[in-house]
Amino acid sequence: NPKAKVMLVGEAPGYDEDKKGVPFVGVAGQLLDFILCKLGIEREDLYITNLIKCRPPNNTLPKASELKEIVESCKPHLMSEIKQVKPKVVVTLGGTATASLTGVRFISKCEGLVLPMEHTKIKTVACYHPAYVLRSPSKESNIARALFKAMTIAGMKLKPKGMETGVFDYEIRG
Ligand code: URA
C-alpha cells in the first residue's frame, strides 16, 4: 500500500518472491502474514519491500564484498520508495536491512528498539527476520511486539486478538 504509515523492509527476494515479483510470499512471508493476522492487521495496510531487489544467479550466497556492492546498488531504489511512500515508521526485518538502514550491525543488540534511520529523522524499529523464527519459534512474539510497537508509534489502529484488557499478550504457536 503506497499510502501505508508503516513500511516493512526485508533482505532480498527468495525463490517464490523472485518468481512472482512480490515480497514475502514464500514460507517466511506466510509466517509474517500469520503474525499480522494475529495483530489484526492486513498486508494491504502496509508497504512491504526488500533492501535488495534482485536474486543472485542460482541463489548463490554472495561473498561479503559482493553483498556490499549489491546493497550499494539496490539501496537508492529503497530510498526512493521511502521518499515516495513517506512512512511514519520503517520496520527493518533482519540484520542486513537493520545494519544498512541504521548502521547498527548486530540485530540481537537492537531488536525491538526504535532507532533513527541513518542521515534522516525517520524512525525505524529493528525486528528479527521471520525466517529466523522458522528456526527459533520462541522469537515469534518478539516480531509481534516489534510490529505492534511500530504500528502504535505510527498511529495505526490495531485490534490484536486477546488484547481486550489493553495489555499486549501475544501467545506464540504451541
Ligand atoms: N526474505 C526476505 O527478506 N524478503 C522476502 O521477500 C522473502 C524472504
Side-chain angles (χ1 to χ4, degrees), residues 117-133:
M117 188 182 298
E118 262 190 329
H119 315 302
T120 74
K121 286 184 182 152
I122 300 170
K123 285 180 183 148
T124 74
V125 174
C127 182
Y128 286 132
H129 195 286
Y132 173 55
V133 172

Side-chain angles (χ1 to χ4, degrees), residues 4-74:
K5 292 180 181 165
V6 173
M7 180 185 276
L8 307 191
V9 180
E11 184 175 317
Y15 176 82
D16 296 305
E17 289 78 15
D18 199 42
K19 276 214 129 173
K20 293 196 174 151
V22 180
F24 285 99
V25 289
V27 191
Q30 284 162 24
L31 176 58
L32 180 64
D33 286 346
F34 176 81
I35 298 172
L36 291 174
C37 172
K38 283 220 265 181
L39 290 172
I41 287 284
E42 312 260 333
R43 214 174 221 270
E44 290 68 28
D45 297 327
L46 306 167
Y47 187 94
I48 306 179
T49 189
N50 280 307
L51 167 66
I52 296 167
K53 306 300 184 190
C54 48
R55 190 171 149 83
N58 308 318
N59 198 29
T60 46
L61 202 63
K63 291 188 219 122
S65 58
E66 289 169 340
L67 181 64
K68 197 165 171 270
E69 222 174 278
I70 294 169
V71 168
E72 271 165 23
S73 56
C74 290

Side-chain angles (χ1 to χ4, degrees), residues 106-141:
F106 298 102
I107 180 77
S108 55
K109 291 221 165 98
C110 61
E111 180 273 324
L113 299 181
V114 181
L115 304 165
M117 188 182 298
E118 262 190 329
H119 315 302
T120 74
K121 286 184 182 152
I122 300 170
K123 285 180 183 148
T124 74
V125 174
C127 182
Y128 286 132
H129 195 286
Y132 173 55
V133 172
L134 295 171
R135 301 189 300 274
S136 305
S138 67
K139 297 288 188 277
E140 185 188 314
S141 57

Side-chain angles (χ1 to χ4, degrees), residues 86-106:
K86 298 187 190 66
K88 289 203 178 350
V89 182
V90 172
V91 178
T92 53
L93 297 171
T96 309
T98 302
S100 175
L101 291 182
T102 68
V104 180
R105 280 183 53 207
F106 298 102

